[in-house]
Amino acid sequence: MNKLIQLSQNWHYRSSANLYSSFPKLAKNSVVKSKTLKVKKLQLMNILNFWEKKQDLIEGAIISAYYDTVVPKTHRIQQLFRQNTTKHPNNFIVGVRYLGNKDDDLRHVITYHVKIDVLKKTISEIEKTINLMDSSFNNEINNKDLERLENNPTTLFKNKSDAKRFAQTIIDVSYVEKFDVYLEDIDNTEEKIVSLYDLKTNTEDSSYLLDVLRKLGINKTREDILDRNVVLLDRDDLKILKEKGSFLVYAQSKDLFDLKKEFNADVSPKELSELPEPNNEPIVGVIDTTYKELGYFKDWVEYDNDFEDGIDHGNEVTSIIVAGPKFNPGLEDNCGLFRVHHFGITRGGRESSFRIVRRIREIVEAHPEIHVWNLSLGRPFSTNTNRISNEAAVLDKLQAEHPDILFIIAGTNLDNGRSKEEKQFNRIGSPADSVNSLVVNSVDVDGKAASYARKGPVLHYFVKPDVCYYGGDITHPLVTATSLGEKSVMGTSFAAPWIARKASFLMDKMHFSRETTKALIIDSASGWLTEKKDPKYMGYGVVPIDIRDVINCKSDEIRFIIRGISQKRITYSDGIPVPKDSLNKFPFIARATLAYFPTCSPNQGVDYTDTELSLQFGRIEGETSTAIKSIVNDNNVEKEYIPETDLRRWLGKWENVKVKAEKFTSRKKGKGVLGKGYWGLKLVSSERLYGYKHRPFNFAVVVTLKNLKGQNLNEEFKQLCIYNNWRVSDIDIDQMLQANLEGNTEINWTDDIDK
């Protein structure tokens, strides 16, 4: 087995030219007629009339732009609704959803909140555009007309800027199918958590939301507010909202966490032997049902219960994190023992989701010393396909704000008591739709999706669950410790804590960053694509049992981590010297896994993540380190237009995890040498929201090279890297564990291991 290698070198950064400074162009072969603009103008006039009558309720107008497909950010509105030269229309987006049920039929609806005078100005600009099209372009315009206008703008305008605004107005209208006011169908049969459009009148205070509700006849207090625009409403409140304000509602969800007893067998009254004294082992945070003190755990668990009693679920989860292999020797992961700080925030059964998510936020913010948090709580209902849940949004925000925490979340279980409609969809429940968290589903002893597993993806395209692990099944249940003795269990609740153990080992014992931790776990599960696995249920695959198989690699493989900070739009490395064979070929297939933690915007709905970081790894083609022939066929992404749906579905666009992997077969041949014979790594970032400058953020990439001839070229690779000015460090697990044992002595690797 070869040790993991850490490579480090100064990254190179490059800002790209402003992609949107060029003169606007229509889609290829498109023609826009002035009558199309006249229809859109009439729609906006009707919307203006609707909102002018409601200015005593809210200021401005809420307008939805309907598209006939999923659109990239470049096809969003650029000129319409622009307040001035600095206020881009993206600043006024308050909701983004999909219409359509199937992936091939999805289409965007983007909702804006603009001032009344801005809407009037937009209508006026469209009117001027129509008049000019009729008088100077024979009632229609195409790209040849725009090209002539670009070359000679002053024939019709004072300057080129005015000509660009005219052209961009036409482009905006050409992509929009219609403008309308979206009316949410409100279900008022039971208490709901309701997200109203975030009108951003006061970015910190909730008083504006309370005032709007009061004007509708709904009286609430700050205690009913979960976030700036999220409120808890009862059935009477919802009835009023349905009658008077459905146009203000973005999303709604049931206020219910329903943690039922998992699939448990009989309790064995077997006497449990006590564990040794703790020796400064890491602390994992567990947020679950109440904890009942066990002598077995004595000094290993500190607990804070909100209630005096509850089901044993919390004890069962915590027992796995502290000493899971003691009960389940077949799952010996060599991670050792862990202390737990257990927070019992529910008794189990039906609970207020509103209260649960508030408590989670309070607990995590009050305990910054804890890096890994296990959440084996979940909702029985399928996640919304158009919006991240309130619970997940809070977790994603916490992870974006705190750069050293990671949530491990159970993928939730199929509930046989649910409705026929729910069983049909069977999507994972909240908070397993958290994008930044590591979500874990269950497999049986044979590595197949468990019978109770629920499926992803999230928001149609985001891969969830991320990975899976052994959560027990009917014939091979897991064993846990409870207040009554050992208990046999199964469920995703008991798969997640095994991954929490691994995450804490990597972050707290090996001192890896959370980006590296997440990338290593996902990369170890993904493998070489030799087995068929359904990503809807299994994510990237099954994580190896032994932690050494997560970190190290086989003797015919080379595995290295490379970390950095995305400082500018393009981040790239110097050439990586991969060994060649006697035929001057690279005898390898490759896999690269990227992980980063972006800020997210719930009001962007299905366009949830703010930052896209693309990954290219492969041979450098030319003289510059940015010309890379990727190991997967995505080179044409930068050279030609590919539909946004395909980019999201096949290349993971806007996802915060990227796995680029070649499939291993016995017929694979070595790769020819290109350019100067080096490999390279390039990352390109994009901010979804205009007006935001590039925001630096951490990333980690795990690369694995598999030798097609079974050779061990690990040492040769390290020597080549040193010769080419890379700093090279072997990650020695035993050395780091010994250092921890001797009092958490910090080991300074050649480049300070990963932190």
Side-chain angles (χ1 to χ4, degrees):
M1 180 171 280
N2 288 332
K3 295 176 183 176
L4 176 67
I5 300 167
Q6 176 160 295
L7 289 186
S8 52
Q9 193 181 61
N10 292 330
W11 286 93
H12 302 288
Y13 305 100
R14 196 178 79 194
S15 298
S16 60
N18 187 347
L19 300 178
Y20 313 108
S21 61
S22 58
F23 203 83
K25 294 287 190 297
L26 290 164
K28 191 176 181 180
N29 300 324
S30 291
V31 176
V32 178
K33 299 179 182 295
S34 63
K35 66 179 182 181
T36 300
L37 275 74
K38 291 173 183 176
V39 171
K40 304 295 169 49
K41 187 192 82 166
L42 181 60
Q43 292 168 353
L44 291 174
M45 289 176 66
N46 291 335
I47 292 171
L48 173 63
N49 181 57
F50 176 87
W51 285 109
E52 280 187 321
K53 298 174 183 177
K54 301 189 184 313
Q55 291 306 286
D56 58 337
L57 178 61
I58 67 165
E59 297 178 358
I62 301 173
I63 308 165
S64 291
Y66 289 69
Y67 295 83
D68 63 0
T69 187
V70 176
V71 295
K73 71 172 187 175
T74 51
H75 290 181
R76 286 181 171 193
I77 288 171
Q78 313 288 321
Q79 181 59 39
L80 303 179
F81 310 143
R82 186 179 280 271
Q83 186 167 314
N84 52 47
T85 55
T86 59
K87 289 283 188 177
H88 191 280
N90 267 2
N91 290 304
F92 310 119
I93 291 176
V94 292
V96 185
R97 51 171 60 85
Y98 291 138
L99 292 184
N101 296 318
K102 297 181 179 179
D103 288 348
D104 293 330
D105 187 38
L106 295 179
R107 47 204 187 278
H108 258 129
V109 178
I110 302 179
T111 303
Y112 299 81
H113 174 235
V114 301
K115 295 179 179 179
I116 290 293
D117 61 344
V118 171
L119 178 53
K120 289 179 178 178
K121 182 181 176 183
T122 296
I123 293 171
S124 176
E125 288 296 320
I126 294 176
E127 177 68 31
K128 292 176 184 177
T129 303
I130 292 169
N131 292 337
L132 191 55
M133 285 179 69
D134 288 346
S135 63
S136 302
F137 294 94
N138 196 26
N139 311 118
E140 64 180 35
I141 200 165
N142 57 34
N143 272 327
K144 288 185 178 180
D145 296 320
L146 293 178
E147 186 177 343
R148 285 193 294 270
L149 184 60
E150 179 183 9
N151 294 331
N152 299 286
T154 55
T155 56
L156 294 173
F157 297 94
K158 291 181 180 179
N159 51 54
K160 193 170 185 176
S161 294
D162 289 344
K164 284 182 67 175
R165 283 194 292 274
F166 165 80
Q168 189 61 59
T169 298
I170 295 171
I171 306 301
D172 286 354
V173 171
S174 74
Y175 287 123
V176 175
E177 189 174 47
K178 71 171 182 176
F179 292 105
D180 206 347
V181 176
Y182 186 91
L183 301 177
E184 177 75 6
D185 184 16
I186 298 172
D187 176 10
N188 63 328
T189 57
E190 59 185 313
E191 194 171 51
K192 292 284 184 65
I193 298 175
V194 177
S195 300
L196 278 71
Y197 289 116
D198 187 353
L199 304 184
K200 301 181 180 177
T201 298
N202 190 319
T203 57
E204 298 297 331
D205 199 358
S206 58
S207 58
Y208 178 78
L209 174 60
L210 295 174
D211 186 51
V212 170
L213 292 172
R214 180 182 55 77
K215 289 176 181 178
L216 290 170
I218 301 171
N219 294 310
K220 293 283 139 183
T221 69
R222 294 181 190 277
E223 289 301 310
D224 300 308
I225 305 296
L226 178 64
D227 209 344
R228 190 172 58 242
N229 63 316
V230 182
V231 62
L232 181 64
L233 300 178
D234 61 29
R235 287 184 292 179
D236 292 336
D237 299 330
L238 290 165
K239 183 178 179 181
I240 295 172
L241 190 62
K242 185 172 185 175
E243 292 173 354
K244 298 181 179 181
S246 60
F247 44 77
L248 298 175
V249 178
Y250 182 30
Q252 55 190 316
S253 62
K254 296 179 181 180
D255 179 36
L256 176 65
F257 254 76
D258 190 6
L259 182 61
K260 299 180 179 179
K261 291 183 178 180
E262 306 259 349
F263 310 92
N264 296 324
D266 294 334
V267 177
S268 168
K270 179 180 177 182
E271 186 174 343
L272 303 172
S273 57
E274 290 189 8
L275 295 174
E277 292 276 333
N279 189 17
N280 209 26
E281 281 81 2
I283 298 174
V284 176
V286 172
I287 301 176
D288 212 287
T289 64
T290 53
Y291 179 78
K292 300 172 184 177
E293 187 170 354
L294 300 179
Y296 179 72
F297 292 136
K298 200 160 59 176
D299 302 319
W300 289 86
V301 180
E302 177 184 357
Y303 62 95
D304 296 287
N305 287 334
D306 290 355
F307 305 98
E308 291 186 0
D309 59 350
I311 64 175
D312 272 332
H313 187 273
N315 278 65
E316 295 158 9
V317 168
T318 285
S319 72
I320 292 175
I321 292 177
V322 174
K326 295 283 185 182
F327 313 113
N328 304 274
L331 294 177
E332 176 57 69
D333 52 18
N334 290 310
C335 290
L337 300 172
F338 295 88
R339 292 178 292 163
V340 166
H341 194 154
H342 186 113
F343 300 88
I345 66 171
T346 174
R347 298 183 180 92
R350 297 172 71 90
E351 262 281 7
S352 167
S353 171
F354 187 86
R355 189 192 71 80
I356 292 281
V357 72
R358 269 193 164 182
R359 283 294 289 132
I360 291 173
R361 182 166 57 191
E362 292 167 356
I363 289 167
V364 172
E365 289 181 338
H367 294 276
E369 74 281 2
I370 297 177
H371 303 138
V372 175
W373 293 89
N374 187 94
L375 279 176
S376 289
L377 301 174
R379 298 179 60 152
F381 312 107
S382 293
T383 50
N384 192 312
T385 57
N386 277 318
R387 191 179 190 275
I388 290 291
S389 67
N390 297 308
E391 298 86 358
V394 168
L395 301 184
D396 286 335
K397 185 177 181 181
L398 285 168
Q399 288 172 106
E401 292 174 344
H402 302 279
D404 56 355
I405 65 171
L406 176 63
F407 288 101
I408 311 299
I409 300 179
T412 66
N413 300 323
L414 178 62
D415 180 3
N416 290 325
R418 292 186 305 159
S419 68
K420 185 179 293 185
E421 181 184 15
E422 280 288 318
K423 288 182 181 179
Q424 177 185 356
F425 290 116
N426 191 25
R427 289 191 304 276
I428 57 176
S430 165
D433 53 335
S434 169
V435 168
N436 280 330
S437 302
L438 193 58
V439 177
V440 186
N441 246 16
S442 284
V443 290
D444 60 23
V445 69
D446 296 320
K448 297 179 180 179
S451 59
Y452 49 82
R454 296 166 73 180
K455 64 182 179 181
V458 167
L459 300 180
H460 291 276
Y461 298 115
F462 286 84
V463 174
K464 290 292 169 182
D466 294 286
V467 295
C468 46
Y469 202 72
Y470 306 96
D473 57 44
I474 293 291
T475 56
H476 296 85
L478 293 178
V479 179
T480 61
T482 73
S483 57
L484 301 176
E486 289 188 356
K487 181 186 283 189
S488 297
V489 299
M490 61 181 186
T492 58
S493 290
F494 312 115
W498 292 97
I499 301 303
R501 286 173 53 83
K502 287 177 166 60
S504 183
F505 183 95
L506 295 170
M507 291 182 69
D508 298 315
K509 294 186 178 183
M510 296 301 296
H511 305 294
F512 286 127
S513 69
R514 63 171 181 183
E515 289 81 14
T516 299
T517 295
K518 189 173 182 180
L520 278 169
I521 290 173
I522 290 176
D523 186 78
S524 70
S526 59
W528 294 109
L529 309 179
T530 54
E531 296 180 0
K532 287 186 177 181
K533 51 194 173 191
D534 188 345
K536 293 193 296 295
Y537 288 97
M538 301 179 68
Y540 291 102
V542 184
V543 179
I545 293 174
D546 195 324
I547 190 64
R548 295 175 186 273
D549 293 327
V550 174
I551 299 173
N552 297 325
C553 62
K554 296 179 179 178
S555 59
D556 63 348
E557 295 177 347
I558 299 168
R559 199 170 197 216
F560 60 89
I561 55 173
I562 184 166
R563 311 179 55 247
I565 301 174
S566 174
Q567 298 278 17
K568 294 185 178 180
R569 177 170 164 76
I570 298 175
T571 303
Y572 61 99
S573 67
D574 278 341
I576 300 170
V578 175
K580 307 179 190 70
D581 62 15
S582 58
L583 300 176
N584 201 34
K585 290 184 177 293
F586 297 110
F588 296 97
I589 59 169
R591 183 177 70 240
T593 301
L594 163 71
Y596 63 102
F597 288 72
T599 55
C600 302
S601 297
N603 68 334
Q604 293 285 314
V606 294
D607 292 353
Y608 178 61
T609 50
D610 291 348
T611 305
E612 155 71 358
L613 192 60
S614 68
L615 167 68
Q616 281 195 330
F617 176 71
R619 292 165 291 166
I620 297 174
E621 293 188 273
E623 297 297 316
T624 67
S625 295
T626 58
I628 294 174
K629 185 174 179 59
S630 178
I631 57 174
V632 297
N633 188 25
D634 59 4
N635 284 69
N636 289 332
V637 171
E638 298 177 1
K639 300 174 185 177
E640 61 183 63
Y641 176 73
I642 296 176
E644 182 75 3
T645 300
D646 291 344
L647 291 175
R648 296 187 183 201
R649 182 187 303 165
W650 306 118
L651 297 181
K653 186 179 180 184
W654 297 107
E655 287 198 56
N656 58 341
V657 171
K658 304 284 194 302
V659 177
K660 309 285 187 178
E662 294 182 277
K663 186 174 183 178
F664 175 71
T665 69
S666 58
R667 293 174 292 178
K668 278 282 186 181
K669 304 295 183 184
K671 298 175 177 63
V673 173
L674 302 175
K676 295 181 179 180
Y678 291 96
W679 289 49
L681 190 68
K682 180 175 73 169
L683 303 106
V684 181
S685 70
S686 299
E687 293 287 342
R688 196 189 306 263
L689 303 178
Y690 298 89
Y692 283 100
K693 294 183 179 179
H694 179 81
R695 293 171 286 192
F697 55 90
N698 298 325
F699 66 84
V701 181
V702 175
V703 174
T704 309
L705 304 172
K706 183 176 184 62
N707 192 281
L708 296 171
K709 301 178 180 180
Q711 299 168 305
N712 188 344
L713 299 181
N714 202 54
E715 291 302 318
E716 181 179 340
F717 173 71
K718 289 192 292 184
Q719 292 303 315
L720 286 171
C721 288
I722 293 171
Y723 180 78
N724 284 274
N725 299 316
W726 286 89
R727 295 184 291 278
V728 179
S729 306
D730 273 339
I731 306 301
D732 192 309
I733 299 174
D734 295 325
Q735 186 179 359
M736 180 58 73
L737 292 179
Q738 184 62 34
N740 287 329
L741 190 63
E742 294 173 359
N744 281 0
T745 303
E746 182 177 345
I747 292 183
N748 293 317
W749 303 92
T750 306
D751 188 46
D752 294 327
I753 186 168
D754 197 48
K755 282 259 185 172

